[in-house]
Amino acid sequence: MLKNIAVIRGDGIGPEIVNETLKVLDRVAELYGHTFNYIDVDMGGCAIDKYGDPLPETELKKCLKSDSVLLGAVGGEKWNDVPGNIRPEKGLLRLRAGMGVYSNIRPAKIWPQLADASPLKKSIVEQGIDFIIVRELIGGIYFGEHKTEGDTAIDVLKYSESEIERIGRIGFETAQKRNKKLCSVEKSNVLDSSRLWKKVMHRLADEYPDVELSDMLVDNCAMQIVKNPAQFDVIVTENMFGDILSDEASMITGSIGMIPSSSLGATTCGLYEPIHGSAPDIAGKDIANPIGTILSAAMMLRFSFDMLKEADAVENAVSAYLDKGYRTADIMSEGGKLVGCKQCGDIITQNLRKE
Ligand code: NAD
């Protein structure tokens, strides 16, 4: 099969982790007889330096024409003082909106080999951590009006019923494929948009009688994720709450460097990226963990290209790497074999077997 993949290396550790992921994809192509054609796309700080724009129209078009997009990360201190409308993160928001990818899936699953890397008590980890956060991605406060008038700053949080309904359906459908428990997270004791969210979720619940729907306030959810993560199967929530909760959820599984994500809209052309940022503090040192990006590529194979065996092969290669005790610095624990970013990519590539 021939697939055109738009590749955004971005800033900071972005190029390092993406390069390792392309090694893995190349080996998948070799083993399974596919051709992956990579189209380089500039986005983020590097695009500001080159074009004065974090995502010029020509670069966005390359993404829209591709079969899917693989992204490292964007941003860094160097671009902190550029005016708000050309900050690196604006490129990312424009890309998500341009692709219409309204549903962001972030698994929070502890690899048994990494149980020691979780900051939670062993007794909590032993109950199991395996849930998915379904986050609305192109609405809410990140996409509302932003302005500063004198000494007052304003950010608008707005959701329509149709925006809530389409992400709600993804939540219910995701739960149907798992343990059929959906927790809708909002702040309905304070926010109108959350009261609408709750109303729509309960209306949808009638259409999914096999799924058990519960409600939770976001502040309570933040506590429950560390107190009793085993209670969750699927969480569905709005953009900003999902952003924050998924970072929290990633930490309890060991490292933010391990967690992949997929973002999809109405078509199979998706955006695949690790959930972490550009980690400028460790950029260029060959110590970043590329696994979040490698597992994002596995999600791309599964969800956008329907290459299920290939996706399993990548995940099994990661598991074999962990089994053998290899660890990048972020997940290093006693007895582990310390490796760098490149070596991690090499070992996972060598571990790949045709399933
Ligand atoms: P970050 O996720 O980049 O880093 C947080 C911490 O986690 C750092 O200590 C970092 O070293 C570590 N870390 C992150 N990824 C790692 C990996 N793969 N391996 C090992 N350690 C890893 O968050 P931040 O420091 O708040 O943000 C840095 C920059 O990234 C900012 O400019 C921010 O705006 C941007 N950002 C971009 C995205 C994105 O591109 N999707 C997401 C979040 C933040």
Side-chain angles (χ1 to χ4, degrees):
M1 229 185 266
L2 166 69
K3 293 291 175 191
N4 292 310
I5 303 174
V7 175
I8 306 173
R9 288 178 171 78
D11 310 311
I13 59 169
E16 300 168 52
I17 54 179
V18 168
N19 286 344
E20 298 317 305
T21 304
L22 297 187
K23 269 187 207 166
V24 172
L25 282 175
D26 283 341
R27 181 73 184 132
V28 169
E30 207 179 332
L31 283 172
Y32 287 87
H34 301 306
T35 304
F36 296 139
N37 186 21
Y38 306 125
I39 301 122
D40 284 324
V41 173
D42 293 318
M43 186 179 91
C46 58
I48 295 175
D49 289 348
K50 208 162 160 184
Y51 313 102
D53 184 336
L55 183 65
E57 217 34 51
T58 48
E59 301 303 287
L60 174 61
K61 276 201 184 123
K62 288 189 205 169
C63 296
L64 299 181
K65 276 197 203 151
S66 70
D67 293 309
S68 261
V69 180
L70 179 71
L71 164 66
V74 297
E77 239 172 59
K78 181 178 168 194
W79 303 280
N80 275 358
D81 294 327
V82 294
N85 61 347
I86 61 160
R87 285 181 64 111
E89 294 76 9
K90 279 276 169 189
L92 184 56
L93 296 183
R94 207 185 288 163
L95 176 66
R96 289 171 177 166
M99 292 179 72
V101 286
Y102 59 83
S103 113
N104 180 233
I105 305 269
R106 298 178 164 202
K109 183 175 171 171
I110 194 146
W111 292 78
Q113 303 95 324
L114 295 184
D116 286 349
S118 173
L120 295 186
K121 274 195 263 177
K122 207 167 166 226
S123 57
I124 296 178
V125 175
E126 277 170 358
Q127 289 172 35
I129 301 174
D130 181 5
F131 62 97
I132 284 184
I133 297 184
V134 176
R135 166 188 170 196
E136 200 290 325
L137 200 61
I138 56 174
I141 201 161
Y142 294 173
F143 285 86
E145 189 190 0
H146 309 288
K147 62 180 175 187
T148 303
E149 288 169 350
D151 62 357
T152 305
I154 300 159
D155 298 290
V156 175
L157 165 53
K158 202 164 78 176
Y159 269 110
S160 67
E161 286 203 22
S162 60
E163 284 176 306
I164 300 170
E165 186 175 322
R166 65 183 181 180
I167 191 69
R169 288 192 184 284
I170 303 285
F172 279 102
E173 285 159 19
T174 307
Q176 275 181 327
K177 292 180 202 139
R178 292 175 47 98
N179 294 325
K180 302 184 172 48
K181 277 172 63 187
L182 179 65
C183 180
S184 164
V185 172
E186 28 69 5
K187 187 74 184 163
S188 56
N189 54 341
V190 179
L191 301 174
D192 269 34
S193 58
S194 280
R195 281 192 277 276
L196 183 65
W197 180 278
K198 192 171 173 181
K199 189 178 102 185
V200 173
M201 288 298 156
H202 281 267
R203 194 181 68 214
L204 282 178
D206 294 341
E207 294 179 41
Y208 301 89
D210 52 334
V211 175
E212 181 195 322
L213 174 69
S214 60
D215 305 297
M216 196 177 275
L217 295 176
V218 63
D219 35 357
N220 184 24
C221 185
M223 280 194 314
Q224 295 298 331
I225 283 177
V226 289
K227 194 174 162 219
N228 178 15
Q231 71 184 285
F232 295 113
D233 180 25
V234 179
I235 288 174
V236 63
T237 191
E238 61 103 88
N239 201 343
M240 185 167 68
F241 297 161
D243 191 6
I244 298 166
L245 293 178
S246 59
D247 268 26
E248 184 191 3
S250 74
M251 259 334 285
I252 64 166
T253 66
S255 167
I256 196 168
M258 293 290 298
I259 311 283
S261 82
S262 72
S263 304
L264 283 156
T267 72
T268 57
C269 178
L271 171 62
Y272 297 87
E273 53 176 321
I275 72 157
H276 58 75
S278 59
D281 53 332
I282 57 167
K285 296 182 179 161
D286 190 33
I287 57 172
N289 186 347
I291 292 181
T293 320
I294 291 171
L295 294 174
S296 301
M299 290 179 105
M300 175 190 288
L301 297 172
R302 181 173 292 122
F303 297 142
S304 284
F305 303 162
D306 206 24
M307 297 179 181
L308 309 186
K309 286 195 170 133
E310 291 84 336
D312 287 346
V314 173
E315 287 164 0
N316 290 342
V318 170
S319 190
Y321 158 95
L322 295 172
D323 279 343
K324 288 175 197 155
Y326 295 112
R327 304 284 185 265
T328 41
D330 55 312
I331 53 170
M332 188 62 187
S333 60
E334 222 184 301
K337 298 176 208 158
L338 185 65
V339 293
C341 183
K342 277 203 189 91
Q343 214 183 337
C344 172
D346 286 340
I347 296 167
I348 291 172
T349 305
Q350 284 155 19
N351 284 345
L352 270 167
R353 302 277 175 276
K354 204 166 172 181
E355 292 295 312

